Amino acid sequence: MKRKKILIALFWMVVVPGTLYLYFLVLGNLGDNYRKTHKEKQVEQKTDTLLNKGWKFHQGSDTKWASADFNDSAWVTVRPDSMPLSYNGEVGWFRLELKADSSFLNKPVSLVMYHWGASEIYLDGEKIAGFGKISTDTLNEIGMDPAYLPVNIQLRTIPVHHIAVHYSNLHYSGYKNSPGLPSDRAYPGFKLKMEETSTSVHDILFYRQATIGGLSMGIFLLTLSLLHFLFFIFYRKAKENFYYSLFVFCYSIMFLFSSQITSKPPVQLFFHAATNLFLNPLLPFTLLLFIRRAFNSKFPKWLWACFIAAGTISILDFFTSHINSTLTAFAAIWLIMGCITTMLVSTYHAIRNKAPGAKILGTGISVFALLAFAVLSIAIFNNGSVNINPSNSFEALLIIGSLLSIPICMSIHLAYSFAVTNKNLSDKLIEVESLSAKTISQEKEKQEILSQQKEKLELQVIERTKEISGQKILIEKQKQIVEEKNKDILDSINYAKRLQDAILPPLSLIKQFLPDSFVLYKPKDIVAGDFYWMERAGDNLLIAAADCTGHGVPGALVSVVCSNALNRTVKEFKITEPGKILDKVRELVLETFEKSESNVQDGM
């Protein structure tokens, strides 16, 4: 059994991601070969030009350098998108002699700027556009992302045009120290592209439609997230609503962030960091938690460990460039495809076990899995680009439906589960009402029976009360007799105490001979077997503290016999030595008790 589990774990941890990695690796190589063999055709169809060569650069902020007649031969030749390491976005001028291709002459042409700094663009000495605010002071500089915004120009049939760009990016030093700086912004300079205006208009429309679509989808998903979060607040036991709400929230924020609704680089950098560090790892985990809760699935511990390891590698790759790119790609493929595969397997088992709503959720997961696999394959084949046309209604609906397939099916699944639960509760309510009616009928019969029994019990109680009253009178009489007997006994014992006190030497007599003495005498009962004795014999004073056998009245009787024996020994027999006194007392006590027919073992 353990061997089977190890083989399954190795299959999911190594074989599946390894096969996918090899598939995408081969697909990428096929794409590179295809682009190389069709390079000429691509050049022929090219409608834009990246202006990245032949630029002259000089630091400073002199506006005379924008003139078309200015001699910049002494300036340094650079590429603005790959400046020297010593350049950190300081204020300067970039100049380019533009020998435009004949395909751009006497046609509507646009310049498209890409940067996170601030720029002013001049064509033949005339300012044609500006993005942000240039400054020599970091506090006063305002960086801006032009975001595909075109600058329309008209190229005349003169041999050479001059483009001058006044530029600063003083905040770059702070951006480059930020972990996970986007690769398309990891440079202090800028990129400038020239293309036909029709292409720019197409890009703007595409960007606008994509932005509107992304915002719409984000708001729609955010509404779903809030709705299901409220369901969880009002019914905490349904934790699948919480996991779904968290997943859809992350999903919606990704759409809102990807729309780049702001042109401020610091905000975009924050969005990028939040997406990579928080949202991307949280999406697969919330999906898995939802599946685990919805279908009561149990994932092995090694699977959770693999997901955590893959997520950790992706996060570490965001902070550092020292992690191997192959390992990062392997972890990313495992995180995406492993999550989708795990969801498909869990849903398949749920469908086999006829879990409610499993087919609905399985449909959404399958559609999303196919789309994700297809888009990822196309992107790798095309070296990271996927061409989508939002103006095409069919493509737009297909993409939107695919992207929303999982959250919508999850919401439908939750709604279906909620409806099934309500139906079961309604059936149970009808059953409870039927049982309640039967219970009420039985209760009425029971009440009638109890009423009849109550009358019988009342008669029995009356009879029993009479018996108890008679017994009470008898007990009170017996009590009275016992109290009288007790009083007689106590009176006798109290009188016996007076007699016992009479044999004890008075305290005044003791004080006469022993002025500084005291007597502590506390019998356990009214009378006791303990007594004290004193007698004067010539110049001697004899004192005894005695403890007789027995307590109460028997002990008191023995104390009388023993006290009398002491008196006779001293007065009658004139014995004054303590040892001889005790011998004589023993003899007299034995003599007294020997007269009894019973065997008396009492003494002092």
Side-chain angles (χ1 to χ4, degrees):
M1 193 66 181
K2 290 184 178 179
R3 183 180 179 183
K4 183 179 179 180
K5 289 183 177 180
I6 293 172
L7 291 175
I8 292 173
L10 289 174
F11 176 77
W12 285 107
M13 293 170 61
V14 179
V15 177
V16 172
T19 303
L20 290 172
Y21 181 76
L22 290 176
Y23 165 76
F24 289 126
L25 185 64
V26 171
L27 194 65
N29 291 329
L30 290 175
D32 291 338
N33 293 331
Y34 176 83
R35 283 186 291 275
K36 289 178 181 178
T37 56
H38 295 75
K39 188 174 182 181
E40 294 180 0
K41 185 177 180 181
Q42 291 175 3
V43 171
E44 290 176 359
Q45 296 176 349
K46 187 176 181 180
T47 59
D48 61 357
T49 301
L50 183 62
L51 306 176
N52 58 358
K53 296 180 180 179
W55 288 86
K56 297 287 187 174
F57 171 72
H58 189 70
Q59 288 190 12
S61 189
D62 193 344
T63 55
K64 295 179 181 179
W65 297 344
S67 174
D69 300 330
F70 181 76
N71 183 9
D72 57 12
S73 59
W75 288 16
V76 180
T77 302
V78 295
R79 285 185 53 165
D81 60 344
S82 57
M83 294 292 289
L85 296 176
S86 59
Y87 179 71
N88 283 316
E90 294 84 3
V91 178
W93 282 84
F94 295 80
R95 290 175 56 85
L96 174 69
E97 289 186 357
L98 177 63
K99 297 178 181 179
D101 188 90
S102 59
S103 60
F104 291 111
L105 295 177
N106 298 317
K107 290 182 180 180
V109 180
S110 298
L111 294 177
V112 182
M113 175 69 84
Y114 300 89
H115 63 59
W116 268 8
S119 64
E120 294 175 350
I121 304 175
Y122 295 81
L123 178 63
D124 297 329
E126 181 182 353
K127 182 178 179 180
I128 58 175
F131 301 101
K133 180 182 177 182
I134 302 172
S135 177
T136 57
D137 184 6
T138 308
L139 297 177
N140 293 324
E141 182 192 75
I142 300 176
M144 180 179 175
D145 181 4
Y148 303 102
L149 188 64
V151 179
N152 296 325
I153 61 174
Q154 182 74 39
L155 297 179
R156 299 183 297 275
T157 57
I158 59 177
V160 177
H161 293 273
H162 291 85
I163 297 177
V165 177
H166 191 198
Y167 180 76
S168 70
N169 190 1
L170 301 178
H171 291 89
Y172 172 73
S173 58
Y175 296 153
K176 71 178 181 180
N177 294 326
S178 301
L181 181 66
S183 58
D184 61 339
R185 294 293 184 268
Y187 50 86
F190 60 87
K191 291 181 181 179
L192 186 63
K193 182 172 71 172
M194 183 173 65
E195 60 187 12
E196 293 181 3
T197 301
S198 59
T199 305
S200 298
V201 172
H202 176 271
D203 291 343
I204 286 294
L205 291 175
F206 175 86
Y207 176 76
R208 181 175 298 175
Q209 291 172 348
T211 300
I212 294 173
L215 287 173
S216 301
M217 292 175 66
I219 293 171
F220 171 71
L221 292 171
L222 203 59
T223 304
L224 278 180
S225 173
L226 177 62
L227 180 64
H228 284 273
F229 183 72
L230 291 176
F231 288 158
F232 169 72
I233 290 296
F234 291 114
Y235 187 60
R236 298 291 182 87
K237 291 184 178 180
K239 292 184 179 180
E240 58 270 19
N241 276 306
F242 173 72
Y243 297 139
Y244 173 77
S245 173
L246 190 58
F247 164 73
V248 177
F249 173 77
C250 297
Y251 204 39
S252 67
I253 297 302
M254 289 186 68
F255 279 107
L256 295 174
F257 285 4
S258 64
S259 301
Q260 293 184 350
I261 56 177
T262 176
S263 61
K264 296 181 178 179
V267 179
Q268 292 184 10
L269 187 62
F270 169 76
F271 285 173
H272 178 75
T275 301
N276 284 274
L277 290 178
F278 178 68
L279 300 178
N280 288 345
L282 199 58
L283 273 171
F285 284 106
T286 51
L287 264 178
L288 292 175
L289 290 172
F290 174 83
I291 294 294
R292 180 173 176 269
R293 177 71 181 184
F295 297 142
N296 292 322
S297 302
K298 292 184 179 180
F299 303 144
K301 294 181 179 179
W302 61 263
L303 188 61
W304 286 111
C306 289
F307 280 117
I308 293 173
T312 303
I313 291 172
S314 299
I315 292 173
L316 290 176
D317 182 61
F318 178 81
F319 286 100
T320 178
S321 59
H322 299 297
I323 296 181
N324 185 275
S325 59
T326 302
L327 178 63
T328 303
F330 191 86
I333 292 172
W334 163 253
L335 195 61
I336 297 171
M337 304 308 296
C339 177
I340 294 174
T341 306
T342 303
M343 291 166 57
L344 287 172
V345 172
S346 299
T347 308
Y348 170 73
H349 288 301
I351 293 173
R352 286 189 59 186
N353 296 330
K354 297 181 179 180
K359 292 182 179 180
I360 298 172
L361 193 56
T363 302
I365 295 172
S366 301
V367 171
F368 183 81
L370 290 174
L371 173 73
F373 187 78
V375 170
L376 193 59
S377 299
I378 294 171
I380 291 176
F381 185 82
N382 290 333
N383 195 24
S385 63
V386 180
N387 295 322
I388 301 172
N389 186 9
S391 60
N392 188 316
S393 300
F394 175 76
E395 289 188 16
L397 290 175
L398 180 63
I399 294 300
I400 291 172
S402 301
L403 291 174
L404 296 179
S405 58
I406 281 189
I408 288 179
C409 287
M410 289 168 71
S411 184
I412 294 173
H413 167 76
L414 291 174
Y416 176 78
S417 300
F418 183 73
V420 170
T421 303
N422 278 343
K423 185 178 180 301
N424 292 335
L425 288 175
S426 299
D427 294 341
K428 291 292 182 183
L429 184 61
I430 294 172
E431 184 180 349
V432 168
E433 289 177 351
S434 176
L435 292 174
S436 179
K438 292 181 181 179
T439 303
I440 291 172
S441 176
Q442 294 174 353
E443 187 66 23
K444 288 181 179 179
E445 294 178 0
K446 181 180 177 181
Q447 291 296 332
E448 292 178 359
I449 296 172
L450 289 175
S451 178
Q452 295 174 0
Q453 292 179 346
K454 180 181 178 182
E455 294 177 359
K456 293 180 180 180
L457 288 173
E458 286 178 351
L459 293 175
Q460 291 177 359
V461 168
I462 292 172
E463 294 177 358
R464 186 61 180 165
T465 302
K466 290 180 180 179
E467 293 179 4
I468 292 173
S469 298
Q471 292 175 355
K472 181 181 178 183
I473 294 171
L474 179 61
I475 291 172
E476 288 179 351
K477 290 181 179 179
Q478 292 175 347
K479 178 184 176 184
Q480 184 178 359
I481 294 172
V482 170
E483 287 178 349
E484 291 176 355
K485 294 292 185 182
N486 188 50
K487 183 176 180 302
D488 292 341
I489 293 171
L490 287 174
D491 291 343
S492 298
I493 293 175
N494 286 327
Y495 190 79
K497 175 176 174 57
R498 291 173 58 192
L499 296 177
Q500 188 179 35
D501 290 343
I503 67 172
L504 298 175
L507 186 59
S508 58
L509 181 63
I510 297 173
K511 288 285 187 178
Q512 181 180 350
F513 294 104
L514 299 171
D516 295 330
S517 66
F518 69 93
V519 175
L520 180 65
Y521 181 63
K522 291 185 177 182
K524 178 178 177 294
D525 300 313
I526 298 173
V527 292
D530 302 329
F531 71 95
Y532 55 94
W533 173 86
M534 186 182 75
E535 188 66 38
R536 183 176 182 184
D539 294 333
N540 296 324
L541 187 63
L542 303 174
I543 297 175
D547 179 10
C548 300
T549 57
H551 302 284
V553 174
L557 292 174
V558 177
S559 69
V560 171
V561 172
C562 293
S563 177
N564 183 55
L566 284 169
N567 289 331
R568 287 185 62 195
T569 300
V570 174
K571 293 180 179 180
E572 182 178 344
F573 295 102
K574 307 299 181 178
I575 301 173
T576 58
E577 293 182 14
K580 293 181 178 181
I581 291 173
L582 289 176
D583 291 338
K584 188 61 179 178
V585 168
R586 179 177 180 278
E587 180 183 338
L588 293 175
V589 170
L590 290 175
E591 180 183 337
T592 302
F593 287 142
E594 283 177 354
K595 296 177 182 179
S596 174
E597 293 180 355
S598 59
N599 185 16
V600 179
Q601 298 296 326
D602 293 296
M604 176 182 67

